[in-house]
Amino acid sequence: MALLAALACYAAFALWLPHDSERYRDFAAAEPCPADTAAPGPEDCLRMLTFTVQDATVKARGKNNRYRATLHRAPAWTETVSFGDPRPLLEGLRPGDRVIGTVWRGQIAAVDRGGVRQETSEHPRDNPQLAASFGTLAGLFAALSFGFGAVRLARPHRPEPFVWRGYGKQLFFTVLILCPVTGFLALWLKLPWWLVPAAVVPFVAYSARAFYQYRLRVPVTGAA
């Protein structure tokens, strides 16, 4: 468990976060493509192309929401794009409507109709705080799994207080709740991503010390 969590932490900080940040910077720096040229493959510039709506789907079913539209451009480009919300544009689209798609690197990043614009799921986003919160969560789970597992191996007959009941459960839920809340708060306030681990790790370390001292005074009976 510790190894898997450590690999997830590495992937978040070394792969996911840098990739998304670089992609967002490239998109923000992209300029409109020259009107009189067209590359055969994906382009780093922004090209505005006209599409015809073939289908628009808005289905809200709890966690199984589906917000998507199928767009066609003659002669043979048909693509289904997804959205995170039906507003402000998707819910008003009907088959046959003409829309303007912002194409970047071969993907439709945004759709516009009559001055109403909506970003698709392929649109690069500046939210490294979420990757940092996931990486911090995985890293702390790796540390907890390694620490509790090491105690189990070193003293299998008396692992207290490093057990699930009491100490382990308190730390687990502290990490599970604190990391995503801090990540979303940093995203909402537009704070630097590195503030997420900088704030969460010391707080969890303090909580671990406080829970440990409490469990030394109040041991858990029948711990497992």
Side-chain angles (χ1 to χ4, degrees), residues 53-58 68-70 90 93-95:
V53 178
Q54 288 189 334
D55 180 63
T57 302
V58 177
R68 61 191 185 190
T70 301
L90 176 63
L93 293 181
R94 299 293 181 270

Side-chain angles (χ1 to χ4, degrees), residues 152-165:
R152 279 283 184 178
L153 292 175
R155 50 185 202 192
H157 300 295
R158 48 184 184 87
E160 296 81 4
F162 296 94
V163 291
W164 169 251
R165 290 186 60 190

Side-chain angles (χ1 to χ4, degrees), residues 34-102:
D36 56 345
T37 62
E43 303 172 282
D44 279 325
C45 54
L46 302 177
R47 190 172 293 278
M48 308 301 177
L49 301 176
T50 301
F51 292 85
T52 301
V53 178
Q54 288 189 334
D55 180 63
T57 302
V58 177
K59 291 184 178 180
R61 296 180 178 176
K63 296 181 179 181
N64 298 320
N65 296 335
R66 288 197 297 173
Y67 307 128
R68 61 191 185 190
T70 301
L71 308 179
H72 174 75
R73 176 177 172 80
W77 186 356
T78 300
E79 184 170 344
T80 299
V81 293
S82 299
F83 301 86
D85 193 272
R87 294 178 295 270
L89 178 63
L90 176 63
E91 62 183 4
L93 293 181
R94 299 293 181 270
D97 288 345
R98 306 275 283 180
V99 297
I100 303 298
T102 301

Side-chain angles (χ1 to χ4, degrees), residues 142-154 159 161-172 208 224:
L144 292 178
S145 299
F146 180 81
F148 278 58
V151 172
R152 279 283 184 178
L153 292 175
F162 296 94
V163 291
W164 169 251
R165 290 186 60 190
Y167 189 45
K169 183 162 64 173
Q170 289 173 325
L171 283 179
F172 176 82

